[in-house]
Structure formats: structure tokens, C-alpha cells
Amino acid sequence: MKLLLKGGRLVDPVSDRDGIYDVLIEGDVVARIDRDIAVDRDAAILDVPEGAIVCPGLIDMHVHLREPGQEHKEDVASGVASAVAGGFTAVACMPNTSPVNDNASVTELILERSAQANRARVYPIGAVSVGQHGEQLAELGELRDAGCVAVSDDGHPVATALLMRRALEYADMLGLLVIDHCEDQTLKGDGVAHEGYHASVLGLRGIPGEAEELMVQRDVTLAGLTKAPVHIAHLSTRGSLRAVRDGKARGIRVTCEVTPHHLTLTDEALGDYDTNTKMNPPLREAADRDALMEGLRDGAVDVIATDHAPHHADEKAVEFDHAPFGIVGLETCVPLVLDRLVHAGVISIGRFVELLSVNPARLLKVTGGSLTIGRPADITVLLPDLDVTIDKKKLRSKSKNTPFGGWRLRGGVGATFVGGRLVYCNDDTPSLTAWRELRKARSPNVPGR
Amino acid sequence: MKGSGGTGQGSVGVRDQGSAEGPRTPTVTALENRHLLGIAELSAEEIRLILDTAEAMKEVGERQIKKVPTLRGKTVVNLFFEPSTRTRTSFEIAEKRLSADTLNIAASTSSVVKGETLADTVRNLEAMAPDAIVMRHPSSGACHLLARICRARVVNAGDGTHEHPTQALLDGFTIRQHKGGFAGLKVAIVGDLLHSRVLRSNLLLLNKLGAQVVACAPTTLRPVGLDRMGATATSSIDEAVQDADVVMMLRIQLERMQGHFFPSIREYYRLFGLTAARLQRAKPDVIIMHPGPINRGVEIDSDVADGPYSVILEQVANGVAVRMAVLYLLTGGSEGPS
């Protein structure tokens, strides 16, 4: 079966393409990329709308799918439905499930559910330590063999410097990346919001930025000691970024990710105790946000990841102190980043693709990151000028915990192809009517959304 | 948080103080918001309206029969999730003097101990149609959550370390009673600033009314951004008390010692305790305030707490009048206090 994406601006930094190209998909792989490809009558032709961008499929290297154990918040099926609607062809899911993904049986269950859902690719991330308790290394070799692409104790930092050292050494031997949630928990204490003016006014217990920075500095130092790579999850402060930047300058293998919410909100958003502004790390000050923006521009930041953290509405409808940390992010990421970063001139569309596709694929050593002949056709089509209003009710995720409800943004997702299959097509775009009909014809059993 | 507008009730007697605040004309006769969540949501004019209304309410408390029918037929629930004697009793007396039907619920006897959420507790109470809920809660912002889900008027009786608006109003009432107004006053606030909702509400109120605030605490007990919050910070109690018109002491919570905020009670008293000798630096007509309960010999000496400059018990008495004023302005019917 052949599918031709006709016209459209192809942006693929790895192959150094940025121009109008046709992309021919045969079966599940990219067969040809060229200008004006002629096809025979058995190929379906999809005209790419004017102004749309065709790029390698987006990869979110930091999500929480909650299955097994907390399926009332999200499960693998709803998580990947949310992912493809957000333009992601692949997601890497953190191990803080219940039970924790610290052994092959949990990894296998996640992969089985992913195969059943049959939408975005799912890459499990295993735990660094047994039960994420920070005491004993999990069997990382078993986790890798079962399909884990990285290890992390996300939700908690890797507890001690010694365990982190061993994890870096051992995981590097296995070719696994260690991803660390950096937070000195003694300094964080029982804080619930960024320690600053706004938390003071609201009487909320503070978490200083230095609680993160201390552990980022530890990890950079240990990555230097072990010569192994370390990836800093959801980096949020200017001090942390300085530590990463310094480490990179010294040749240390340190990389980092930032989230769309830390790039678009500050602690001022805590305003009326909206528990959808409670996340960990907390929303920081404007100077931190500006530093992260600078890091996007100059390359100090490697990845934008959502830290998609679904929580049930009832769990958030409580006192700020008692609410869980985290927000959903898969379906709001692209509009936020296009509107607030690309259209605002902070980053180019090429850099957008690097941050959301090229670099996550490289760090996790997974398929994607570029459109390559003979490789799986994982493709995202962006509509940079689409008017988008974030509507909580329409989110595919089971949970609706977002502070961005009602935000009007410029830029959205047109369509998502995974392995050559059109798995998502924007319902609100007249120029994609033919695409939707094709999708319906080829996948009659897949719900319209 | 903005509510749906005024109470629709008739105005109460507004008295022009014509004081150190300067000449003024009353500009408001009702509160804009339907809840009292904090001083942050009140304008200076609204604060003056509450204080003026409290003058009339105070007079009710001086009568032989200390009761008016103003809130007859109204139901007020006092929902207390933290232990409190002073504030809860003060509200209850205020409600009874206004003839409201009152209901006291303490967290230890509520369904909260069975795991019920605040939202569900309130929904159940709402089904019984109270007119107002007075809530104290250990979490900052809990009253904001309540106001979002609640039809009844919400009065914040202290939420975590956020605000304690009626305490600030009664403090303001007491200061005005002694000083005539606020403009140009130097108010020293000394004690655990970091964990104090009284500090936050008083800072807002005193700034809105034109007083100058010096806040004194060990650096470990100062909130970040104190200067942006409207206070000059110092760690010298001598400096804070120097030429002060008002010295407001805050309670040191002894459990804070476990957070390494200061080494010992002895050292705290030595560096930050208010003694008669230190008080010599203040203005001759200084008044000493404390929201209570007092730790004698920790943050304040007994001879100061019980001495001639102390207005601590007046604060308690004024609390009833101020709370009557707040309840009247938020839930009052057509009948005035007299």
C-alpha cells in the first residue's frame, strides 16, 4: 500500500532538508523523498495543506501512563491516544507505576498494552532501584532485555551519590541512559511551590530552586567521574542550567530536558491556589523561565518533554497542600511551543524538530528523529497557523488537569503517522477532509478521534 | 477572588474619623466581594467601612442586653479544622449577639476523620443551606477552594500561613482606637514572620491604610520577598522598636525548633524577646499588641504583656465587634445593628 504526502514543507534537520518535498510511504516505511514524485494509480495521494510542516514524528521522552496501578488517571491506551492527538509518534513512560516497573513482567505488560492500543510507540523506562526505594540497583540488564530504553527513579531523585555512581557505571555498560529527577529532598522538605515572593504572599511552603541545583551539580560531577551519560529530567532553574552548561563545556556527557509549562508559566500563576499550577519541580520565577529560553536558543537545553502527569479531577479538587503534583501535557505541548516559542521568535522550526524529535531519538537510541529511506514512516504534520483553543473537555487523556484550559494559541497538530499509518487527523480542519476520509476507510474500527 | 457584588443591604452608620488618615469622605457602603477571604481582596475604603461598622457593633456589646436581631433567621456554621479557642469563641459570641443560629463543627468530630474531602464536607453542609461558613483550616488557600464550591458566604478565620483577615481588622480597629488613624505610624511586627498569617494580613492592612511597617525576625523566620510585601526587614529588635508607635508581637511556635529555625528558646528570648528595657526605645505612648496565645518569657515578658502599654485584652474584646461587623456586612439583612 502506497501513500504520497504531496507537497508541504519538509523540515528534517538530520538530513538538512527544509523545503517543499513529497514523501512516499510504502507499507510502514519511507520509500522516497523528492520533489514532485509521480505515483501510479494504486497510491493514495494526500495533499499537504498550504503552510503545513511535515517533520519526523515527535517523541516525548518523559510521560506517565499510570498503568499498571492507577488506571483511573490514565492507561496505556488513553495515554497513546492523547499522544498521537498531540503529534507524538512515540512516548517513553516513567516507571513510577504500581507496582514499579523494576522487573521484566511490568515492562512486558506495558508493551503488551501498547501493542493492543496500536497507536503511538511506547518505550518503557525502568527503575534505577528496586521499588524506587533508592537502596538497591534494579536488575537493569533484565529491564533492558525486556524492552526498557532508559532507567530512572523519576518521582524521586536517585537517593545517594554512591547509588547514582553505580547506576551510571552499570547502565552505561548496558547502553542505557540514566535520567534523574533532581531534587535534594532535605532542602525541599514539605514544600509545595517555588520559594519566592508569590509563595510568601500566598503562605505556601517553599521549594528553593537550589534544591534542584544541588542535585544537578552532584549528577554532573558523577557523570564526570564515571564518564557515563546522565540526563536531567524537567530542569527548571537558571542555576541548574548553569551547572549543565558548565558540565557540557568541560566535555561531561550531560543532557537535559525542559517542559512546556516551565517555559510558558511562572510562579505568578499560583494566583488563586489553582491546584493545576502545582507541579514538581514547581513553576519558577521569570528569571528562570528566561534562562530556559536562552538555553533553548543556544543549545544548552537538549529536549522539550512534557512530563505528562495525569491526575483524576477529584484528586486535584482539594486543598493546595494536599493536591498531587503534576499536569497533563501531551495535547497542549505543540500549540504552546509553536505559539510561545516558534512564533515568538525564540526558536526556529528546525530547532523545534531537534528538541522534540531528533534529540529524544538520539538520547534514547530509538527509531525516528529523521525521515530516512527504508526506516519507519513516523511523521507529524504541523499546522503552524491553526487557531487553537485548549478545551479541557476535548482532551483524549483520561485526566484533564491542565492550567491551560481556555488558552488561545496559534499552531497545532494536523496529523500523525506511525509506521506509515495515519493514526490521528485533526477533526477541526477543513483542509484535511480527504485525510479523514482515508483514515476512516483504512481503519474502520478505530474511533474517529 | 471577586464575588457577585454587594450585599444589597442598607448602609450602616459610617463615621468619619477625621484623624491622622486625613480628612475623607466615605465612598463605599457595602463590600464588593461576597466572601471575606483576606485583606488582599479589600480596598482601603472597605477596610474603613468594616472598622466604622465595628464601632457601632462595639456599642452593642456595651449594652445591658447585648443582642440585636440583625441576623435573626440566618444560620452560620463555624467550621474549624484547627484547634482554636479565642477565634472560634469570638465568632460565636459575635454571631449570637447578632441573633444568628450557630453551629460549631470541629474537624476532630467531623467526617474528615473518616477520610471525607473538604469539598464533600462542604457540599453536605450546603445541603442544609447555611448563610455563612466561618472556616479555619491548616492549608493556605483552603478558603479559596471553599468559596469556589460554596453558595454560602465564606469568612476566613485563618488559612494555613496565608491570611487571618479578622485578626488584622481587629488589630486595625485597636490601633485606630488608640492612635486615631494610620498615616505615618511606625508599626514594628516581631516574631515568627515566616509562618504567620497574622503578619501577612496585617502587612496588607497597614500598607493599605498608610502605616509604615518594620518586621523583625531571625533571618531563618523571614519569608522570601518580605520587602516586596511592604515591610522593612531587620533582625534587630532594638532597631524595630526604636520610635515605634505600635509593637505587635507574634507567637513563636515552639515546634518550629525542630526545623532548625533557631537554636533554643533561651537564645530566642535573648535576641528577640520584648522586655521592658527594650521597650524604652519606643515612643512614650507606644501600644503593645499580641494575637495570642502568648508564650510568656519567650517572645514577651510578663511585665510587658500585662503592663500599662499592653492592649492585648482590648484586642480580644474588639475582636467580637469586628467579627459582628464582618458578618453583618456579608450576610446582614435589612435591619441595622440598633
Side-chain angles (χ1 to χ4, degrees):
Chain A
M1 189 176 295
K2 293 179 187 174
L3 194 62
L4 182 69
L5 297 187
K6 188 77 184 155
R9 180 181 166 195
L10 175 63
V11 177
D12 183 359
V14 173
S15 63
D16 202 21
R17 283 195 180 95
D18 185 347
I20 305 298
Y21 287 90
D22 293 352
V23 178
L24 181 65
I25 299 166
E26 282 191 30
D28 59 357
V29 299
V30 177
R32 201 176 151 203
I33 299 171
D34 214 335
R35 299 182 197 274
D36 290 327
I37 298 173
V39 286
D40 42 34
R41 291 174 64 185
D42 63 337
I45 298 175
L46 293 177
D47 290 311
V48 177
E50 195 177 338
I53 289 168
V54 176
C55 67
L58 307 184
I59 299 170
D60 190 344
M61 66 181 290
H62 191 143
V63 306
H64 299 269
L65 295 182
R66 305 298 188 206
E67 187 175 8
Q70 293 187 305
E71 291 85 350
H72 64 293
K73 298 175 189 243
E74 191 83 285
D75 56 30
V76 173
S78 64
V80 293
S82 179
V84 296
F88 292 98
T89 56
V91 293
C93 58
M94 286 296 172
N96 55 340
T97 47
S98 179
V100 168
N101 184 14
D102 62 1
N103 64 83
S105 63
V106 179
T107 310
E108 284 160 4
L109 176 115
I110 293 167
L111 290 172
E112 190 184 309
R113 294 282 192 271
S114 164
Q116 286 164 356
N118 199 19
R119 296 274 185 103
R121 299 179 197 278
V122 174
Y123 300 117
I125 295 172
V128 168
S129 63
V130 175
Q132 294 191 304
H133 296 314
E135 291 163 3
Q136 182 188 344
L137 277 182
E139 293 183 356
L140 306 190
E142 177 184 289
L143 288 167
R144 182 197 61 177
D145 293 347
C148 287
V149 296
V151 289
S152 177
D153 272 354
D154 187 59
H156 314 277
V158 174
T160 65
L162 178 62
L163 185 73
M164 188 61 175
R165 175 195 178 157
R166 299 295 182 230
L168 288 169
E169 289 168 334
Y170 196 82
D172 192 33
M173 172 187 80
L174 298 167
L176 290 172
L177 179 67
V178 178
I179 301 172
D180 200 19
H181 166 130
C182 288
E183 178 179 77
D184 181 311
Q185 291 187 309
T186 63
L187 191 54
K188 177 196 172 197
D190 56 1
V192 295
H194 173 66
E195 182 176 299
Y197 169 74
H198 295 287
S200 291
V201 167
L202 293 169
L204 295 173
R205 293 185 300 277
I207 306 171
E210 286 74 5
E212 175 180 302
E213 188 182 332
L214 275 175
M215 199 152 278
V216 172
Q217 286 173 340
R218 179 199 78 170
D219 286 357
V220 170
T221 302
L222 291 173
L225 171 69
T226 59
K227 310 285 186 283
V230 66
H231 180 76
I232 311 301
H234 45 52
L235 181 144
S236 70
T237 78
R238 52 196 187 276
S240 299
L241 192 61
R242 197 180 311 122
V244 168
R245 211 187 282 277
D246 291 350
K248 286 184 171 185
R250 285 157 50 207
I252 291 170
R253 298 165 71 192
V254 55
T255 53
C256 69
E257 70 193 29
V258 296
T259 71
H261 46 274
H262 288 113
L263 291 163
T264 53
L265 294 172
T266 66
D267 56 348
E268 199 172 352
L270 294 167
D272 205 14
Y273 298 97
D274 178 2
T275 53
N276 286 322
T277 61
K278 182 176 175 181
M279 50 269 283
N280 190 17
L283 295 173
R284 302 291 188 187
E285 296 168 12
D288 294 304
R289 181 201 55 198
D290 295 346
L292 300 184
M293 295 267 200
E294 188 55 37
L296 290 178
R297 279 194 207 98
D298 68 14
V301 173
D302 303 273
V303 167
I304 293 176
T306 68
D307 193 6
H308 176 79
H311 291 293
H312 196 263
D314 290 344
E315 294 167 310
K316 282 283 195 181
V318 295
E319 300 87 324
F320 199 89
D321 286 345
H322 299 166
F325 292 99
I327 61 169
V328 292
L330 283 165
E331 292 164 77
T332 51
C333 175
V334 164
L336 285 169
V337 176
L338 285 176
D339 186 292
R340 296 303 165 96
L341 301 176
V342 176
H343 291 313
V346 177
I347 56 171
S348 67
I349 193 71
R351 181 77 177 128
F352 171 100
V353 176
E354 278 177 10
L355 290 159
L356 280 150
S357 179
V358 178
N359 291 347
R362 177 174 55 83
L363 289 172
L364 298 177
K365 299 176 191 157
V366 297
T367 190
S370 176
L371 296 184
T372 309
I373 310 301
R375 301 290 300 156
D378 289 1
I379 298 171
T380 301
V381 178
L382 304 170
L383 300 172
D385 294 316
L386 187 70
D387 287 326
V388 172
T389 301
I390 306 293
D391 182 350
K392 288 186 185 194
K393 288 184 200 143
K394 288 189 176 173
L395 296 179
R396 275 74 166 178
S397 172
K398 277 190 185 179
S399 297
K400 319 293 177 193
N401 49 312
T402 175
F404 299 114
W407 278 40
R408 296 185 67 185
L409 299 162
R410 185 173 149 226
V413 177
T416 310
F417 295 84
V418 175
R421 210 158 45 94
L422 181 56
V423 290
Y424 169 76
C425 189
N426 193 309
D427 284 340
D428 303 326
T429 313
S431 59
L432 293 175
T433 304
W435 297 43
R436 283 192 293 275
E437 283 169 6
L438 175 88
R439 177 155 184 265
K440 213 177 286 178
R442 291 194 174 177
S443 312
N445 297 325
V446 176
R449 296 189 149 189
Chain B
M1 176 176 295
K2 296 289 175 192
S4 60
T7 59
Q9 68 204 43
S11 64
V12 292
V14 176
R15 185 168 63 81
D16 192 347
Q17 291 294 300
S19 62
E21 294 170 68
R24 62 180 176 77
T25 308
T27 53
V28 295
T29 56
L31 302 180
E32 186 191 343
N33 296 314
R34 54 193 306 275
H35 308 292
L36 178 65
L37 303 181
I39 301 295
E41 289 85 10
L42 295 176
S43 66
E45 288 72 24
E46 287 176 308
I47 294 169
R48 288 193 192 101
L49 171 66
I50 295 170
L51 300 188
D52 291 346
T53 308
E55 297 280 1
M57 297 298 178
K58 192 170 185 209
E59 185 270 321
V60 172
E62 288 159 1
R63 297 178 193 173
Q64 196 167 10
I65 306 294
K66 301 179 182 61
K67 203 168 179 97
V68 289
T70 312
L71 298 191
R72 190 168 53 199
K74 307 267 183 184
T75 306
V76 182
V77 174
N78 299 315
L79 184 56
F80 276 62
F81 290 87
E82 270 186 348
S84 164
T85 305
R86 196 179 317 253
T87 304
R88 192 186 55 72
T89 309
S90 180
F91 267 108
E92 196 177 346
I93 292 173
E95 291 149 13
K96 288 188 188 314
R97 285 192 182 165
L98 292 170
S99 301
D101 297 318
T102 65
L103 185 66
N104 292 312
I105 300 174
S108 58
T109 59
S110 76
S111 294
V112 173
V113 294
K114 298 178 189 170
E116 189 173 66
T117 64
L118 174 61
D120 279 337
T121 301
V122 169
R123 284 186 194 110
N124 279 295
L125 287 173
E126 281 263 290
M128 299 175 225
D131 297 283
I133 298 177
V134 176
M135 185 170 83
R136 167 165 288 191
H137 197 286
S139 292
S140 300
C143 291
H144 291 70
L145 171 66
L146 184 62
R148 276 197 285 270
I149 57 178
C150 184
R151 287 188 302 276
R153 311 293 201 224
V154 175
V155 181
N156 183 358
D159 62 329
T161 52
H162 174 227
E163 280 226 43
H164 192 352
T166 56
Q167 178 69 43
L169 288 163
L170 75 89
D171 290 342
F173 186 84
T174 310
I175 291 171
R176 195 174 80 168
Q177 195 170 261
H178 283 269
K179 303 294 176 189
F182 298 89
L185 285 187
K186 178 182 175 183
V187 180
I189 305 182
V190 184
D192 181 353
L193 308 175
L194 182 64
H195 301 99
S196 176
R197 51 194 172 211
V198 176
L199 168 85
R200 285 164 176 78
S201 284
N202 265 299
L203 263 184
L204 287 162
L205 181 139
L206 292 167
N207 276 301
K208 286 181 182 191
L209 297 183
Q212 175 211 345
V213 180
V214 177
C216 174
T219 47
T220 48
L221 285 172
R222 275 191 212 165
V224 174
L226 185 58
D227 51 342
R228 277 181 74 190
M229 293 164 73
T232 305
T234 176
S235 293
S236 161
I237 188 171
D238 290 336
E239 190 182 315
V241 169
Q242 186 71 44
D243 298 323
D245 298 283
V246 177
V247 177
M248 191 181 287
M249 301 303 293
L250 300 175
R251 190 170 77 90
I252 283 296
Q253 297 169 44
L254 301 178
E255 63 272 20
R256 300 290 174 211
M257 280 187 60
Q258 288 167 4
H260 311 296
F261 291 106
F262 52 92
S264 67
I265 296 295
R266 178 173 172 268
E267 170 133 324
Y268 183 86
Y269 172 71
R270 207 169 61 77
L271 295 182
F272 297 96
L274 184 63
T275 62
R278 279 184 166 139
L279 201 55
Q280 296 290 320
R281 294 172 173 271
K283 289 218 177 120
D285 60 345
V286 67
I287 57 171
I288 309 299
M289 307 179 79
H290 196 304
I294 296 172
N295 291 311
R296 292 172 186 268
V298 178
E299 70 256 357
I300 190 165
D301 268 356
S302 279
D303 57 349
V304 178
D306 303 331
Y309 305 107
S310 172
V311 297
I312 295 171
L313 293 177
E314 281 179 50
Q315 289 174 266
V316 178
N318 290 337
V320 175
V322 162
R323 286 167 180 130
M324 287 171 75
V326 166
L327 289 165
Y328 166 69
L329 289 167
L330 289 179
T331 64
S334 55
E335 295 172 87
S338 55

